Amino acid sequence: MANIKDRYAIVGVGESERSKNSGTTPLHLALDAARAAIQDAGLEAKDIDGFMSYSENDSCTSHQLATYLGVRPKYVKDIMGGGSSTEMLIADAIGLIETGQVQTVLIYRSMNGRSGVRMGGGGWDVNMLQSAIEGGSFIIPYGAGSPGQWFGLFATRHMHETGLTKEHLGHVCVSFYEHAQRNPKAYFYGKPLTMEEYLHTPALSTPFNKHDFCLESDEANAIIVTSAERAKDCKSRPVYIMGIAARQCVSHAHYWSDLSEVASDYVAADVYKKAGVKPSDLHVASIYDCYSWVVLRQLEAYGIAPRGEVGNFVAEGNLRMGGKLPSNTAGGMLSEGYTHGMNNVLEIVRQIRHDYKGTDRQVENCEIGLCTGWAGPDIAGAMILRN
Amino acid sequence: MGYQKPIPLKTQDNQPYWDAADRHELVIQKCESCQSYSHPPGPACAKCGSTELSWQNLGSEINGTVYSYVTSYRPFLPGFQDDLPLTIAIVELEKTPAVRIIGNILNCTPEDIQIGMPVKMAWQDITDDRSLPQWIPVS
Ligand SMILES: [Zn+2]
C-alpha cells in the first residue's frame, strides 16, 4: 500500500444558502455550492475532472452538475449513502488520482432535507421499509422506524454500562449550540440553549429529546480534493490529509443484537496509525453528530476520553472553545445544519486554515484536526487533517 | 377497522420464524457448522458463512430479561399513534443469551421498565391468521 500521508489535500470548500424551504432544486443548490468551492480554491470549473456525490435518492447526479458547470468530466460517481460517505468518497478520489484517472475531484452533498425528502421519516411505505432495511420485518412491526429509536437502544445500554447520564447528553447539545451563536449562518444562531432548558424538554424517544436529534435543512455543500503538488497552484491554503480510514464495518448491527462494539472502534485504530498521531495531538474536531449520544460514543471510540470518563470530559467543557478539544465549532448537525456530515467537514477545513483568525470563532493554534463520519453503529470512517 | 400497524412480511429467509409465531411458538435459526444462533434469520450464518442451517423450536414458554429499551412519545411510523408512549425493547433470552429479540413491552408503564427486568413472551393475535410475539413483565 502506498503511503499517502500529506500527499493529498482539500483545496476548496463551499456551500449554498441554508434554509427550511429552498424553493429550488438540488441541482441549483449543488451548482451554488460547487461554484463557491471552485472560487474558494481559485480554480476554474474546467480544472475539475472528477465529480462525486452521495445521496438517499434525493439529489441531482454528478453528471448533471458537471454539465451545467460547462465541464466534460472524465469520471462521475453517485452513491447511495449518508453519514461517513464524505470520508469514503475522499479516499476513493485519492485512489483515482493516484492511478492517474483524474487530477482534481469535486465531492458534494445536495438535498432539500427539510422541504423535500425528510430523513426524519413521514410518508414512508412500511412494507417497503421492511424489505429495504436488513432484518426490517423484526423491527418495523414494533414501531421502530427511526434511527433515533435504533441508536437510542444502543444509547440506553451504553449509558447503563458506563454511567453516562441525560445531563452528559445535554453537555454535547449545550456546547454545540454555544458554538452556533458565533455562526450567523447556523440554524440556531441567536437561539442558545441552557442546561436547565435542555433538561426540561420532554423526551421524543428516550433517552433523546428534540435537542438530541439533528436538524433537517435544505442546502448543498461541496469540497475539492487534489494532490499536494497541484494544491500549490491553488489560491487557498491547502489542508493536508494526514490519514484517512475510508470505511470500517461491523456486522449485524442492523438488528442491534450486539451493542458492545461499533464500527468507529475499528476506524479509530486505523486512522491514527495511518496519520501517525495520537488523540492528544488533536487540536480541533468535527465529530459526526446525528444524535448527541453518537458524539459521546465516538469520544470513547477515538480514545479522546477513556470509557467511563467521557461524561466528565464533556461536563468539564472540553468540547467548547478553550476546552481540550473544541468540536463542531460551527454548531454541528445539532444546531448548524444537516448534510449528512459534510457541513462539519467544511468547518474543520476552515478552522485548520485559520479562516476565522482574529475572531472568537477561531480555535487558537489549531494545526491538527479529526473529522469523523458515522453511518450508524455498523458503518463509519474518519480522517485526520493538518495545515 | 382492521389492524393498522405493519404486519411482519414473510420472506424466503424468515418464513419459519413467522409461521411459528402464528402458532404461538418461537423458533430460532441455528448454524450446524459453528453452533451459533442466527437472529434475525438469514440465507447463511452471519458468523461463519455456512449454509448448514436448522431451526430450533424453543416452544411457548420463553423467558428473558430486558437488555436495552427506548420509550417513544411520538409515532415514527404510521399506525402507532394510539400506542403512545410506545416501549421498544431488546430482550435477551434466558436459555440462549446470544439471541436477542426486539419487541414491545406491554402491560407496563414506562417508569417501571429497566435494564435487567424479567419478561416473558406473549403472542398478540393481530389478524385472523397472524400473531406477533411481544413481551410482558413477569410479576
Ligand atoms: Zn456458523
Coordinates of all heavy atoms in Angstrom, one line a residue, chain A residues 275-341:
Chain A
A275 N -2.2 8.2 10.1 CA -1.8 9.6 10.2 C -0.6 9.8 11.1 O 0.1 10.8 11.0 CB -3.0 10.4 10.9
G276 N -0.3 8.7 11.9 CA 0.9 8.8 12.7 C 0.7 9.8 13.9 O 1.7 10.4 14.3
V277 N -0.5 9.9 14.4 CA -0.7 10.8 15.5 C -1.5 10.1 16.6 O -2.0 9.0 16.3 CB -1.5 12.1 15.1 CG1 -0.7 12.9 14.1 CG2 -2.9 11.8 14.6
K278 N -1.6 10.7 17.7 CA -2.4 10.1 18.8 C -3.5 11.1 19.3 O -3.4 12.3 18.9 CB -1.5 9.6 20.0 CG -0.5 10.6 20.4 CD 0.4 10.0 21.4 CE 1.3 11.1 22.1 NZ 2.0 11.9 21.1
P279 N -4.5 10.6 20.0 CA -5.6 11.5 20.4 C -5.1 12.8 21.0 O -5.7 13.9 20.7 CB -6.4 10.7 21.4 CG -6.1 9.3 21.0 CD -4.7 9.2 20.5
S280 N -4.0 12.8 21.8 CA -3.6 14.0 22.5 C -3.0 15.0 21.6 O -2.7 16.2 21.9 CB -2.6 13.7 23.6 OG -1.5 13.0 23.1
D281 N -2.7 14.6 20.3 CA -2.1 15.5 19.3 C -3.2 16.4 18.6 O -2.9 17.3 17.9 CB -1.4 14.8 18.2 CG -0.2 14.0 18.7 OD1 0.4 14.5 19.7 OD2 0.1 12.9 18.2
L282 N -4.5 16.1 18.9 CA -5.5 16.8 18.2 C -5.8 18.2 18.8 O -5.8 18.3 20.0 CB -6.8 16.0 18.2 CG -6.7 14.5 17.6 CD1 -8.0 13.8 17.9 CD2 -6.4 14.6 16.1
H283 N -6.1 19.2 18.0 CA -6.5 20.5 18.5 C -7.9 20.8 18.3 O -8.4 21.7 18.9 CB -5.6 21.5 17.8 CG -4.1 21.3 17.9 ND1 -3.3 21.2 16.8 CD2 -3.3 21.1 18.9 CE1 -2.1 21.0 17.1 NE2 -2.1 20.9 18.4
V284 N -8.6 20.2 17.3 CA -9.9 20.6 16.9 C -10.6 19.3 16.3 O -9.8 18.4 15.8 CB -9.9 21.8 15.9 CG1 -9.2 21.4 14.6 CG2 -11.3 22.3 15.6
A285 N -11.9 19.2 16.4 CA -12.5 18.0 15.8 C -13.9 18.4 15.2 O -14.5 19.3 15.6 CB -12.7 16.9 16.9
S286 N -14.3 17.6 14.3 CA -15.7 17.5 13.8 C -16.1 16.1 14.0 O -15.6 15.2 13.4 CB -15.7 17.9 12.3 OG -15.7 19.3 12.1
I287 N -17.0 15.9 14.9 CA -17.5 14.6 15.3 C -18.9 14.4 14.8 O -19.8 15.2 15.2 CB -17.3 14.4 16.8 CG1 -15.9 14.6 17.2 CG2 -17.8 13.0 17.2 CD1 -15.6 14.6 18.7
Y288 N -19.1 13.4 14.0 CA -20.4 13.2 13.4 C -21.5 13.2 14.5 O -21.4 12.5 15.5 CB -20.5 11.9 12.6 CG -21.6 11.8 11.6 CD1 -21.5 12.3 10.4 CD2 -22.9 11.3 12.0 CE1 -22.5 12.3 9.5 CE2 -23.9 11.3 11.1 CZ -23.8 11.8 9.8 OH -24.8 11.8 8.9
D289 N -22.5 14.1 14.3 CA -23.5 14.3 15.4 C -24.9 14.3 14.9 O -25.6 15.3 15.1 CB -23.1 15.7 16.1 CG -23.1 16.9 15.1 OD1 -22.9 16.7 13.9 OD2 -23.4 18.0 15.6
C290 N -25.3 13.1 14.4 CA -26.7 13.0 14.1 C -27.6 12.9 15.3 O -28.7 13.3 15.3 CB -26.9 11.8 13.2 SG -26.2 10.3 13.8
Y291 N -27.0 12.4 16.4 CA -27.6 12.4 17.8 C -26.5 12.7 18.8 O -25.4 12.4 18.6 CB -28.2 11.1 18.1 CG -29.3 10.7 17.1 CD1 -29.1 10.0 16.0 CD2 -30.6 11.2 17.3 CE1 -30.1 9.7 15.0 CE2 -31.7 10.9 16.4 CZ -31.4 10.2 15.3 OH -32.4 9.9 14.4
S292 N -26.9 13.4 19.9 CA -25.9 13.7 20.9 C -25.1 12.5 21.4 O -23.9 12.6 21.5 CB -26.6 14.4 22.1 OG -27.6 13.5 22.6
W293 N -25.8 11.4 21.6 CA -25.1 10.2 22.1 C -24.0 9.7 21.2 O -23.0 9.2 21.6 CB -26.1 9.1 22.4 CG -25.4 7.8 22.7 CD1 -24.8 7.5 23.9 CD2 -25.1 6.7 21.8 NE1 -24.2 6.3 23.8 CE2 -24.4 5.8 22.5 CE3 -25.5 6.5 20.5 CZ2 -24.0 4.6 22.0 CZ3 -25.1 5.3 19.9 CH2 -24.3 4.4 20.7
V294 N -24.3 9.9 19.9 CA -23.3 9.4 18.9 C -21.9 10.1 19.1 O -20.9 9.5 18.9 CB -23.9 9.6 17.5 CG1 -22.8 9.4 16.4 CG2 -25.1 8.7 17.3
V295 N -22.0 11.3 19.5 CA -20.7 12.1 19.8 C -20.0 11.4 21.0 O -18.8 11.2 21.0 CB -21.0 13.6 20.1 CG1 -19.8 14.3 20.6 CG2 -21.6 14.2 18.9
L296 N -20.8 11.1 22.1 CA -20.2 10.5 23.3 C -19.6 9.2 23.0 O -18.5 8.9 23.4 CB -21.2 10.4 24.4 CG -21.9 11.7 24.9 CD1 -23.0 11.4 25.9 CD2 -20.8 12.6 25.5
R297 N -20.3 8.4 22.2 CA -19.8 7.0 21.9 C -18.5 7.1 21.0 O -17.6 6.3 21.2 CB -20.8 6.2 21.1 CG -20.4 4.8 20.8 CD -20.2 4.0 22.1 NE -19.7 2.6 21.8 CZ -18.4 2.3 21.6 NH1 -17.5 3.3 21.5 NH2 -18.0 1.1 21.3
Q298 N -18.4 8.2 20.2 CA -17.2 8.3 19.3 C -16.1 8.9 20.2 O -14.9 8.6 19.9 CB -17.5 9.2 18.1 CG -18.4 8.6 17.1 CD -18.7 9.5 16.0 OE1 -18.1 9.6 15.0 NE2 -19.8 10.3 16.2
L299 N -16.3 9.8 21.2 CA -15.2 10.2 22.0 C -14.5 9.0 22.7 O -13.3 9.0 22.8 CB -15.8 11.2 23.1 CG -16.3 12.6 22.5 CD1 -16.9 13.4 23.7 CD2 -15.1 13.4 21.9
E300 N -15.4 8.0 23.0 CA -14.8 6.8 23.6 C -14.0 6.0 22.5 O -12.9 5.6 22.7 CB -15.9 6.0 24.2 CG -15.5 4.6 24.7 CD -16.7 3.8 25.2 OE1 -17.6 4.3 25.8 OE2 -16.7 2.5 24.9
A301 N -14.7 5.8 21.4 CA -14.0 5.0 20.3 C -12.7 5.6 19.9 O -11.7 4.9 19.7 CB -15.0 5.0 19.1
Y302 N -12.6 7.0 19.8 CA -11.4 7.6 19.3 C -10.4 7.9 20.4 O -9.4 8.6 20.2 CB -11.8 8.9 18.4 CG -12.4 8.5 17.1 CD1 -13.8 8.4 17.0 CD2 -11.6 8.2 16.0 CE1 -14.4 8.1 15.8 CE2 -12.2 7.8 14.8 CZ -13.6 7.7 14.7 OH -14.2 7.4 13.5
G303 N -10.7 7.4 21.6 CA -9.7 7.5 22.6 C -9.5 8.9 23.1 O -8.5 9.2 23.7
I304 N -10.5 9.8 22.9 CA -10.4 11.2 23.3 C -10.6 11.3 24.8 O -10.0 12.1 25.5 CB -11.3 12.1 22.5 CG1 -10.7 12.1 21.1 CG2 -11.4 13.5 23.1 CD1 -11.7 12.5 20.0
A305 N -11.5 10.4 25.3 CA -11.6 10.2 26.8 C -11.8 8.7 27.0 O -12.5 8.0 26.1 CB -12.7 11.0 27.3
P306 N -11.3 8.1 28.1 CA -11.5 6.7 28.3 C -12.9 6.3 28.5 O -13.7 7.1 29.1 CB -10.6 6.4 29.5 CG -9.8 7.6 29.8 CD -10.5 8.7 29.1
R307 N -13.3 5.1 28.2 CA -14.6 4.6 28.5 C -14.9 4.8 30.0 O -14.1 4.5 30.9 CB -14.7 3.1 28.2 CG -16.0 2.4 28.5 CD -16.0 1.0 28.0 NE -17.1 0.2 28.4 CZ -18.2 0.1 27.7 NH1 -18.3 0.7 26.5 NH2 -19.3 -0.6 28.1
G308 N -16.1 5.4 30.3 CA -16.4 5.6 31.7 C -16.1 7.1 32.1 O -16.6 7.5 33.1
E309 N -15.2 7.7 31.3 CA -14.9 9.1 31.7 C -15.3 10.1 30.7 O -15.0 11.3 30.8 CB -13.3 9.2 31.9 CG -12.9 8.4 33.1 CD -11.4 8.3 33.3 OE1 -10.7 9.3 32.9 OE2 -10.9 7.3 33.7
V310 N -16.0 9.7 29.7 CA -16.5 10.6 28.6 C -17.4 11.6 29.2 O -17.4 12.8 28.8 CB -17.1 9.8 27.5 CG1 -17.8 10.7 26.5 CG2 -16.1 8.9 26.8
G311 N -18.3 11.2 30.1 CA -19.2 12.2 30.7 C -18.6 13.3 31.4 O -18.9 14.5 31.1
N312 N -17.5 13.0 32.2 CA -16.8 14.1 32.8 C -16.1 15.0 31.8 O -16.0 16.2 32.0 CB -15.7 13.5 33.8 CG -16.4 13.0 35.1 OD1 -17.5 13.4 35.4 ND2 -15.7 12.1 35.7
F313 N -15.6 14.3 30.8 CA -14.9 15.1 29.7 C -15.7 16.2 29.1 O -15.3 17.3 29.0 CB -14.4 14.1 28.6 CG -13.6 14.8 27.5 CD1 -12.2 15.0 27.7 CD2 -14.2 15.2 26.4 CE1 -11.5 15.6 26.7 CE2 -13.5 15.8 25.3 CZ -12.1 16.0 25.5
V314 N -17.0 15.8 28.8 CA -17.9 16.9 28.2 C -18.4 17.8 29.3 O -18.6 19.0 29.0 CB -19.0 16.2 27.4 CG1 -18.5 15.5 26.2 CG2 -19.9 15.4 28.2
A315 N -18.6 17.3 30.5 CA -19.1 18.2 31.6 C -18.1 19.3 31.9 O -18.4 20.4 32.4 CB -19.5 17.4 32.8
E316 N -16.8 18.9 31.8 CA -15.7 19.9 32.0 C -15.6 21.0 30.9 O -14.8 21.9 31.0 CB -14.4 19.2 32.1 CG -14.2 18.4 33.4 CD -13.0 17.4 33.3 OE1 -12.4 17.4 32.3 OE2 -12.8 16.7 34.3
G317 N -16.5 20.9 29.9 CA -16.5 21.9 28.9 C -15.4 21.7 27.8 O -15.1 22.6 27.1
N318 N -14.9 20.5 27.6 CA -13.8 20.2 26.7 C -14.2 20.3 25.2 O -13.4 20.3 24.4 CB -13.2 18.9 27.0 CG -12.3 19.0 28.3 OD1 -11.5 20.0 28.4 ND2 -12.4 18.1 29.2
L319 N -15.5 20.3 24.9 CA -15.9 20.4 23.5 C -16.1 21.9 23.2 O -16.3 22.3 22.0 CB -17.3 19.7 23.3 CG -17.3 18.2 23.6 CD1 -18.7 17.6 23.3 CD2 -16.3 17.5 22.7
R320 N -16.1 22.8 24.2 CA -16.3 24.2 24.0 C -15.0 24.9 23.6 O -13.9 24.3 23.7 CB -16.9 24.8 25.3 CG -18.2 24.2 25.7 CD -18.6 24.5 27.1 NE -18.8 26.0 27.2 CZ -19.0 26.6 28.4 NH1 -18.9 25.8 29.5 NH2 -19.1 27.8 28.5
M321 N -15.1 26.2 23.2 CA -13.9 27.0 22.9 C -13.1 27.0 24.2 O -13.6 27.3 25.2 CB -14.3 28.4 22.4 CG -15.0 28.4 21.1 SD -14.2 27.6 19.7 CE -13.3 28.9 19.0
G322 N -11.8 26.8 24.0 CA -10.9 26.9 25.2 C -10.8 25.5 25.9 O -10.0 25.3 26.8
G323 N -11.7 24.5 25.5 CA -11.6 23.2 26.1 C -10.5 22.4 25.5 O -9.7 22.9 24.6
K324 N -10.3 21.1 25.9 CA -9.3 20.3 25.4 C -9.4 20.0 23.9 O -8.4 19.8 23.2 CB -9.2 19.0 26.2 CG -8.5 19.1 27.5 CD -8.4 17.8 28.2 CE -7.9 18.0 29.6 NZ -8.4 16.9 30.5
L325 N -10.7 19.9 23.4 CA -10.9 19.6 22.0 C -12.2 20.2 21.5 O -13.2 19.6 21.4 CB -11.0 18.1 21.8 CG -10.9 17.6 20.3 CD1 -9.6 17.9 19.7 CD2 -11.3 16.1 20.2
P326 N -12.1 21.5 21.2 CA -13.2 22.2 20.7 C -13.8 21.5 19.4 O -13.0 21.1 18.5 CB -12.7 23.6 20.3 CG -11.5 23.8 21.1 CD -10.9 22.4 21.3
S327 N -15.1 21.1 19.4 CA -15.6 20.3 18.4 C -16.9 20.8 17.8 O -17.6 21.5 18.5 CB -15.9 18.9 19.0 OG -14.7 18.3 19.5
N328 N -17.0 20.6 16.5 CA -18.2 21.0 15.8 C -18.5 22.5 16.0 O -19.6 22.9 16.4 CB -19.4 20.2 16.2 CG -19.2 18.7 16.0 OD1 -18.1 18.2 16.0 ND2 -20.2 17.9 15.6
T329 N -17.4 23.3 15.7 CA -17.4 24.7 16.1 C -18.3 25.6 15.3 O -18.4 26.8 15.6 CB -15.9 25.2 16.0 OG1 -15.4 24.8 14.8 CG2 -15.1 24.6 17.1
A330 N -18.9 25.0 14.3 CA -20.0 25.8 13.6 C -21.3 25.6 14.2 O -22.3 26.2 13.8 CB -20.0 25.5 12.1
G331 N -21.4 24.6 15.1 CA -22.7 24.2 15.7 C -23.1 22.8 15.4 O -24.0 22.2 16.0
G332 N -22.4 22.2 14.4 CA -22.7 20.8 14.1 C -24.0 20.6 13.5 O -24.8 21.5 13.2
M333 N -24.4 19.3 13.4 CA -25.7 19.0 12.8 C -26.8 19.1 13.8 O -28.0 19.1 13.5 CB -25.6 17.6 12.2 CG -24.7 17.5 11.0 SD -24.8 16.1 10.0 CE -24.1 14.9 11.1
L334 N -26.4 19.3 15.1 CA -27.4 19.5 16.1 C -27.9 21.0 16.1 O -29.1 21.2 16.4 CB -26.9 19.3 17.5 CG -26.4 17.8 17.8 CD1 -25.9 17.7 19.2 CD2 -27.6 16.8 17.7
S335 N -27.1 21.9 15.6 CA -27.5 23.3 15.6 C -27.1 24.2 14.5 O -27.6 25.3 14.4 CB -27.1 24.0 16.9 OG -25.7 23.9 17.1
E336 N -26.2 23.7 13.5 CA -25.9 24.5 12.4 C -26.8 24.1 11.2 O -27.5 24.9 10.7 CB -24.4 24.3 12.0 CG -24.1 25.3 10.8 CD -22.8 25.0 10.0 OE1 -22.4 23.8 10.0 OE2 -22.3 25.9 9.4
G337 N -26.6 22.9 10.7 CA -27.4 22.4 9.5 C -27.1 21.0 9.3 O -26.3 20.4 10.1
Y338 N -27.7 20.4 8.3 CA -27.5 18.9 8.2 C -27.4 18.5 6.7 O -28.3 18.7 5.9 CB -28.8 18.2 8.8 CG -28.8 16.7 8.6 CD1 -28.0 16.0 9.4 CD2 -29.7 16.1 7.8 CE1 -28.0 14.6 9.4 CE2 -29.7 14.7 7.7 CZ -28.8 13.9 8.5 OH -28.9 12.6 8.4
T339 N -26.2 18.0 6.4 CA -25.9 17.5 5.1 C -25.2 16.1 5.2 O -24.3 15.8 4.5 CB -25.0 18.4 4.2 OG1 -23.9 18.7 5.0 CG2 -25.8 19.7 3.9
H340 N -25.7 15.3 6.1 CA -25.1 14.0 6.4 C -23.6 14.2 6.6 O -22.8 13.4 6.1 CB -25.3 13.1 5.2 CG -26.7 12.4 5.3 ND1 -27.6 12.4 4.2 CD2 -27.3 11.7 6.3 CE1 -28.6 11.7 4.6 NE2 -28.5 11.3 5.8
G341 N -23.2 15.2 7.3 CA -21.8 15.3 7.7 C -20.9 16.3 7.0 O -19.9 16.7 7.5

